[in-house]
Amino acid sequence: MIQNSNASSRRILTFPAVHPCQSIAPTTLLASLIALCRSACDYKSKSFGSNVRNARETIRQVGNLLLLLHEIRLSFSPIPDSLLLGLSELHLTVQKVIYLLDDCSRGDGARMWMLMESDRVANHFRVLVREMATALEVLPLEVLDLPCDAVEVAELAMRQARQTKFQVASGDQAAMAEVLTILRRFEGGDDVPDRGEIKRVLDYIGVKKWSDCYREVKFLDSEIEFHYSNKEMKRELDALSSLLGLMNYARCVLFDFVDGKSDPPVHCEGESRNDELLGSLDGDSFRCPISLEIMRDPVIIETGHTYDRCSILKWFRAGNATCPNTGKKLSSTELIPNVALKQLIRQYCLANGIPIADSSRKTRDITRTAAAGSLAAANAMKAAASFLAGKLLGGDCKGRNKSAYEIRLLSKTSIFNRSCLVEAGVIPSLMELLSSEDDGTSQENAIAALLNLSKHSRSKALIVENGGLRSIVDILKKGVKVEARQHAAATVFYLASIEEYRKLIGETTEAISDLVEMVKEANYRGKKNALVAIYGLLMHPGNHWRVLAFGAVPLLLDVLISSDRDEVVTDSLAVLATLAEKPEGAQAIIRCGALPQVVRILASTNPRATMEHCVCLLLALSINGGEDVVAYLVRTPSLMGSLYSQLSEGTSRASKKAGALIRVLHEFYERTSSTSKTTVLPREQFVHAW
């Protein structure tokens, strides 16, 4: 009955309140309403960034209502049915009040936006208190024989609800005006706002620490992402973008140290209650019945069965109007998000070290990050980049480390931010931090920042021109922290996207040997980054023999056998398939006895990317490994079924390669078995369908 506000699953200033069911007993409804009012009154102890007077006044009015409800409960047993309508309307309104109070007191990043929306928020308070008054008028107080003081409380509550003016406080108005002045100065470009002005506004709304400012940035970024697809919300987008630029600048300039982790752990509602349930489930419980992979966005269809959204949509687009599990014909293809299961899957993945695919980022339109979103945001970012570049050059050790960390964060999600930072000249200074002699934090922040910046087109050349290759390769083996070594491997991958740099990295002493060693000894993230780096380097033909010389093939085969992580297996197969494109690589793979393992993987249920690389590897081995390989594959009865399934179910590349491999196997069979009457290879069978 009571609606729990959950900031992580509800957008700000939305009120998903629900009417009590019509069959509810008045006594039960009254008890629930009293509990709601108590919850609203508990907000007395909360801190509000803006609209403080309006929030306090609303809480006071709910307190008056609570007194009246207690009198009704004491005076009547059972509660008369005539109260049902009025109590129901009050129940709905108090739910909305709690949502609004929750938004006004949120400490997870909404304070600046709530300040700038003060007019809208004040109007919400006004409307909700008026709704409370209307609901009180519906209550038949004249037939309720209540004590005189209770009637007076009810009349006072109705009168005050009608007369109280909910306006934007003068302090809020002054703070909003100051924010607009700061943004206009950013728009001008030549006049950087005074730090004291920005600090005064942030202090007013309760943003007093680096972590507070970080949460403001995260919130504004998520709001921009939500609004981006709606072209009718350009005004909101401009305002949000400007505020995001301001808060990014403030975080870089106003705070001298980072007081907490950048990404605090996410706690799902009801998480503690789910621990016992999680213990009784395994990964198969969370797999989509269609793709057989762990669901990222589970949805429920008409029959009550749950599927991953992308899988069931593909099923429907193929012309199927039935439930895949039951075969029942569907009258509607409406999809309902399975929020509870999604939270369980997230907890399961976190508990078991499984990477969580962020669907919002996966489908994110990255073109929105190529521009700042507004002139104020653009100039704020340029000012922040200039400030950080100066701190890297002239700051003390702590200041340089903090600047590197800010660059790491700013360059992570925005193409525009990377461009500003590169233009400000931060790369040479970051390169110097790679040899920092502190506890490894500066080195880690610097290499992580360079990793993000290496995705920018101009930065690759700047890194190489400033002697970055040698420094990055050194970190692969000698990095103080394991995280620094992982970032270095990923940076090698991005640098290897340039043909000239692929050659240079391959010729750099120990680069490939250190990557191979990382595959052998590192954790999951290190293995994956090293594998993709090796894959990128193999795009240069001259690096093939180096990868083979450092013993990569037996190591990769061991990964195929021992790893329980699909992504690592897929990446290992991709490297092996590339090596097999040359005869010496194919022979090395065959000598290690890889064929049975690859065939086994292809015959099992695996992600489509894994299957694709399996088929590519088998085709390359058939072409470059000699007739013994083809003969072995011909004698493997299960192989043809797997290959034919790839023709219809695999990726376009897997389908093409599977067709080519089937032709190779058939040609070999026809060439070598002209005198045999035994059929080993099945042919495609065509069934006539009416």
Side-chain angles (χ1 to χ4, degrees):
M1 178 68 68
I2 298 174
Q3 302 298 305
N4 293 320
S5 61
N6 182 359
S8 65
S9 61
R10 177 179 65 87
R11 290 198 60 251
I12 197 167
L13 294 180
T14 59
F15 311 103
V18 293
H19 266 291
C21 61
Q22 294 181 349
S23 61
I24 190 172
T27 303
T28 304
L29 178 59
L30 179 61
S32 178
L33 179 55
I34 288 174
L36 276 177
C37 290
R38 286 173 178 162
S39 296
C41 291
D42 287 343
Y43 279 87
K44 285 180 184 177
S45 61
K46 298 289 183 71
S47 169
F48 296 93
S50 56
N51 267 281
V52 178
R53 192 190 69 81
N54 293 332
R56 302 292 183 203
E57 175 61 25
T58 301
I59 293 170
R60 191 181 69 79
Q61 303 246 8
V62 174
N64 290 339
L65 173 61
L66 183 59
L67 293 175
L68 175 62
L69 296 176
H70 278 305
E71 288 292 343
I72 293 175
R73 184 163 65 174
L74 291 172
S75 301
F76 292 93
S77 182
I79 306 299
D81 289 343
S82 57
L83 297 182
L84 194 60
L85 176 60
L87 293 178
S88 294
E89 292 302 317
L90 283 171
H91 195 282
L92 184 72
T93 301
V94 176
Q95 287 181 62
K96 295 178 182 177
V97 167
I98 291 175
Y99 285 126
L100 185 56
L101 291 172
D102 186 61
D103 286 341
C104 289
S105 61
R106 282 173 64 165
D108 59 349
R111 295 203 162 200
M112 177 60 79
W113 184 238
M114 289 294 289
L115 170 68
M116 302 310 289
E117 292 286 290
S118 288
D119 287 316
R120 180 181 168 196
V121 173
N123 186 60
H124 278 308
F125 277 118
R126 183 184 308 113
V127 169
L128 291 177
V129 172
R130 298 290 190 274
E131 288 179 359
M132 285 173 54
T134 302
L136 283 170
E137 291 172 352
V138 175
L139 290 175
L141 297 179
E142 66 281 357
V143 300
L144 287 182
D145 195 24
L146 291 171
C148 292
D149 56 348
V151 174
E152 290 176 359
V153 168
E155 292 174 348
L156 177 65
M158 286 186 283
R159 185 168 60 253
Q160 289 185 343
R162 293 294 184 192
Q163 295 176 353
T164 303
K165 293 183 178 180
F166 289 86
Q167 298 175 333
V168 179
S170 58
D172 291 354
Q173 290 177 338
M176 284 192 290
E178 196 153 19
V179 171
L180 294 174
T181 299
I182 292 169
L183 294 179
R184 280 194 292 271
R185 289 184 179 174
F186 275 128
E187 287 177 355
D190 298 327
D191 185 14
V192 177
D194 181 70
R195 293 174 60 176
E197 294 175 346
I198 300 175
K199 187 176 187 305
R200 189 160 54 246
V201 172
L202 297 191
D203 285 344
Y204 179 81
I205 61 175
V207 177
K208 298 183 178 182
K209 300 180 295 184
W210 183 94
S211 55
D212 296 335
C213 200
Y214 175 82
R215 284 189 286 270
E216 294 291 320
V217 169
K218 294 287 283 185
F219 171 80
L220 292 167
D221 188 62
S222 66
E223 284 293 295
I224 291 172
E225 190 159 348
F226 178 84
H227 285 85
Y228 188 74
S229 59
N230 191 338
K231 301 304 180 185
E232 297 178 359
M233 293 187 171
K234 187 177 186 308
R235 185 190 70 82
E236 287 85 351
L237 273 175
D238 288 346
L240 286 164
S241 298
S242 297
L243 292 176
L244 178 62
L246 166 60
M247 297 310 291
N248 270 325
Y249 178 81
R251 194 186 68 198
C252 295
V253 173
L254 295 185
F255 304 101
D256 294 329
F257 67 94
V258 178
D259 61 290
K261 294 181 179 179
S262 62
D263 287 301
V266 177
H267 297 289
C268 299
E269 185 180 4
E271 193 169 87
S272 59
R273 298 193 301 272
N274 290 328
D275 289 343
E276 184 176 345
L277 178 58
L278 276 175
S280 65
L281 298 173
D282 57 26
D284 291 339
S285 307
F286 304 130
R287 295 187 185 276
C288 173
I290 298 174
S291 68
L292 300 179
E293 296 180 18
I294 290 180
M295 290 181 281
R296 304 304 185 188
D297 189 8
V299 293
I300 305 170
I301 66 171
E302 185 182 62
T303 59
H305 289 274
T306 297
Y307 302 91
D308 207 2
R309 183 184 294 274
C310 60
S311 298
I312 194 65
L313 285 176
K314 185 176 180 180
W315 173 265
F316 289 153
R317 288 170 188 149
N320 302 300
T322 58
C323 171
N325 262 353
T326 65
K328 179 182 177 182
K329 188 174 180 61
L330 303 175
S331 60
S332 168
T333 57
E334 180 183 4
L335 303 178
I336 302 172
N338 193 333
V339 178
L341 181 59
K342 188 172 184 177
Q343 290 180 347
L344 279 175
I345 291 173
R346 179 178 180 82
Q347 289 173 248
Y348 174 82
C349 291
L350 288 171
N352 291 276
I354 300 172
I356 302 172
D358 188 339
S359 57
S360 65
R361 297 224 177 250
K362 217 168 190 179
T363 58
R364 179 177 183 164
D365 184 355
I366 63 169
T367 58
R368 83 161 182 84
T369 73
S374 72
L375 181 58
N379 289 333
M381 184 59 231
K382 291 175 182 177
S386 177
F387 175 85
L388 293 173
K391 278 288 186 182
L392 281 176
L393 281 173
D396 57 18
C397 292
K398 289 184 178 179
R400 295 175 72 195
N401 181 32
K402 199 259 183 179
S403 296
Y405 186 59
E406 294 289 1
I407 295 170
R408 174 181 181 175
L409 293 180
L410 289 170
S411 60
K412 186 175 182 180
T413 57
S414 172
I415 298 171
F416 180 80
N417 290 356
R418 291 171 196 156
S419 176
C420 290
L421 290 163
V422 171
E423 290 292 332
V426 302
I427 285 180
S429 299
L430 289 172
M431 298 299 306
E432 292 181 11
L433 274 183
L434 294 182
S435 57
S436 172
E437 296 181 356
D438 64 5
D439 60 359
T441 304
S442 295
Q443 184 186 76
E444 179 193 350
N445 288 330
I447 189 61
L450 288 168
L451 164 60
N452 296 331
L453 292 174
S454 68
K455 302 170 188 177
H456 186 269
S457 55
R458 287 190 58 245
S459 61
K460 296 179 181 65
L462 290 173
I463 291 173
V464 174
E465 290 168 5
N466 283 275
L469 283 184
R470 182 67 262 174
S471 299
I472 292 168
V473 169
D474 285 344
I475 292 177
L476 284 175
K477 189 170 187 177
K478 302 174 185 176
V480 179
K481 290 187 174 183
V482 64
E483 292 83 4
R485 298 195 289 275
Q486 293 168 8
H487 295 318
T491 307
V492 169
F493 168 73
Y494 283 104
L495 294 177
S497 63
I498 306 296
E499 170 61 29
E500 178 187 354
Y501 302 156
R502 287 197 286 269
K503 183 174 181 294
L504 285 175
I505 295 169
E507 293 172 349
T508 301
T509 306
E510 297 182 339
I512 291 178
S513 65
D514 289 344
L515 288 171
V516 172
E517 191 67 20
M518 188 177 290
V519 174
K520 180 180 179 181
E521 297 183 352
N523 58 17
Y524 161 73
R525 180 56 56 189
K527 285 182 188 294
K528 180 167 178 57
N529 288 357
L531 285 168
V532 297
I534 292 171
Y535 181 78
L537 293 173
L538 285 174
M539 296 301 102
H540 174 61
N543 288 330
H544 278 243
W545 70 267
R546 295 186 175 95
V547 174
L548 293 173
F550 288 114
V553 170
L555 179 59
L556 293 171
L557 180 58
D558 182 64
V559 170
L560 295 185
I561 296 171
S562 61
S563 179
D564 57 354
R565 306 295 288 269
D566 287 339
E567 290 184 334
V568 171
V569 171
T570 300
D571 293 336
S572 298
L573 286 166
V575 173
L576 287 170
T578 306
L579 289 171
E581 291 174 359
K582 291 185 175 295
E584 58 271 24
Q587 291 299 327
I589 294 169
I590 294 165
R591 283 195 301 271
C592 287
L595 273 175
Q597 182 66 16
V598 178
V599 171
R600 184 192 64 78
I601 293 173
L602 183 60
S604 59
T605 302
N606 279 295
R608 298 173 80 207
T610 305
M611 302 298 212
E612 175 185 312
H613 292 306
C614 275
V615 175
C616 293
L617 174 54
L618 290 176
L619 178 60
L621 292 175
S622 298
I623 295 172
N624 297 317
E627 290 196 346
D628 288 346
V629 174
V630 182
Y632 174 84
L633 297 179
V634 167
R635 293 193 304 270
T636 307
S638 63
L639 177 62
M640 293 305 290
S642 300
L643 293 176
Y644 278 123
S645 70
Q646 290 302 304
L647 291 177
S648 57
E649 300 172 9
T651 64
S652 58
R653 183 167 180 247
S655 176
K656 182 179 178 181
K657 297 288 186 179
L661 181 53
I662 288 170
R663 286 192 295 273
V664 169
L665 299 182
H666 275 306
E667 289 171 2
F668 176 85
Y669 174 73
E670 291 171 352
R671 191 169 64 249
T672 59
S673 61
S674 57
T675 60
S676 173
K677 297 183 180 180
T678 304
T679 300
V680 177
L681 293 179
R683 291 287 189 172
E684 291 181 89
Q685 296 183 358
F686 298 92
V687 179
H688 181 69
W690 293 95

